[in-house]
Amino acid sequence: MAAREFTLIEELRRMQRIGRADVCLGMGDDAALLDPAGRKLAVSMDTLVAGRHFFADADPADLGWKALAVNLSDLAAMGAEAAWCLLSLALPAGQRDWEAWLAAFMTGWQALAQMQQVALVGGDTVATDGPLTLSVTALGLWSGDAVMARAGALAGDGIWVTGSLGDAAAALDAAFAERGMGGMTADWTREERHFLEQRRLRPTPRLVFGRQAAALGVRVAIDCSDGFLADLGHILEASGMAARITLEALPVSAAVRRVAGRDPQLWSRWPLSGGDDYELILGVAPALEEELQTRANALGLALTRVGEVVAPGRDLPAGSVQLSWQDSIIPLPAQRGHEHVF
Ligand code: ADP
Ligand code: MG
């Protein structure tokens, strides 16, 4: 059962089937040789650790998808087009049949890589005494003239969100509850529970829309991974601005809408503060809002205005959010989102 490094690497090479003309030399040598053809690079890295970012018994196919998805989501937030990836695998020695695990991992990875035509061009494979750890470096191409950053939001910009928020957090609550690890039970139907779990395990990076937004002239975006409030906070801090947000305007799925109902606590817990959505939050100048909405419609992607950027003041310092629920101002939840503590 003990798998060997070079057998695993061979398996990776066999299963990575994306051919790209800009890969001069892919996996298998001391370094990959790539040709961005004079275009500019966007580079990002994310790490997933068993027990922290996923349950140790998670389906490897879901992990393959998610390890790639969370990285592509970062490229989407920059308006970049995904092109190449590096994958580092630290596999706990002797813990399971890593050859079988890797084959399953690559089916999930490949499903998304195929959709986005991202080639796996290298990485590293090591045995560890620690937890299963997956690191991905994603490389993409960006236009070179339109930077879509966290800083630069202006008073009067609309705050817009793609897709729906809070599905993954609701699913995580249910998963924790099922495992007796806290969380929160709710009366989800089987179909709702399945839908939420898919949103948690197989997030959709909004690459096409991110590129269109950047091309249109949107200059402020972030991907929502740590919770809407936390990630919006990053935009506001970087921009030296504040925001007004209407809690019930946050886009939610039919499942979350049914169960959260008119309970502002649940709206705060899932769409407002819950993590792992991998939707985009954008700061959009008023002149661009209509056209951006048209583009989202054409993609069949929900795009929702949830509030606006305001100049900071005595009551609303830079970085802060004024939250309202049905026309009354309400306090922000104490737990704002995820941050690692060391
Ligand atoms: P080196 O000794 O030069 O670091 P390795 O033996 O670690 O090379 O890896 C051999 C080749 O396999 C390299 O091209 C490397 O990029 C690739 N590789 C190793 N692990 C992975 C992985 N997890 N994913 C993709 N490529 C990998
Ligand atoms: Mg190596």
Side-chain angles (χ1 to χ4, degrees), residues 160-233:
W160 292 76
V161 184
T162 60
S164 60
L165 296 175
D167 298 321
L172 188 62
D173 260 338
F176 272 130
E178 276 161 16
R179 290 169 156 82
M181 295 167 68
M184 213 195 93
T185 44
D187 69 334
W188 306 110
T189 65
R190 266 172 66 97
E191 290 71 30
E192 286 171 343
R193 182 74 180 80
H194 176 75
F195 163 80
L196 297 172
E197 193 66 358
Q198 285 303 113
R199 291 276 295 154
R200 181 173 81 85
L201 298 174
R202 301 241 172 177
T204 308
R206 305 298 185 187
L207 285 151
V208 175
F209 179 73
R211 276 208 301 286
Q212 291 198 3
L216 185 65
V218 174
R219 290 295 161 261
V220 177
I222 191 169
D223 77 315
C224 186
S225 55
D226 292 334
F228 172 79
L229 204 51
D231 289 313
L232 173 63

Side-chain angles (χ1 to χ4, degrees), residues 5-6 9 123-126:
E5 177 185 349
F6 295 111
I9 294 175
D124 203 14
T125 305
V126 300

Side-chain angles (χ1 to χ4, degrees), residues 85-130:
C85 271
L86 299 161
L87 168 65
S88 155
L89 297 169
L91 309 175
Q95 210 181 72
R96 53 156 84 222
D97 176 352
W98 289 113
E99 252 181 89
W101 181 92
L102 191 63
F105 177 90
M106 283 305 285
T107 60
W109 172 287
Q110 196 57 18
L112 180 57
Q114 191 82 48
M115 287 168 66
Q116 302 295 343
Q117 287 298 299
V118 189
L120 178 64
V121 296
D124 203 14
T125 305
V126 300
T128 178
D129 298 322

Side-chain angles (χ1 to χ4, degrees), residues 267-302:
W267 280 75
S268 288
R269 184 177 177 104
W270 295 329
L272 185 69
S273 319
D276 265 359
D277 289 310
Y278 302 101
E279 297 294 347
L280 297 181
I281 305 173
L282 307 112
V284 186
L288 299 178
E289 289 180 306
E290 202 180 311
E291 180 57 25
L292 192 68
Q293 180 78 78
T294 305
R295 305 267 172 115
N297 290 346
L299 294 174
L301 176 65

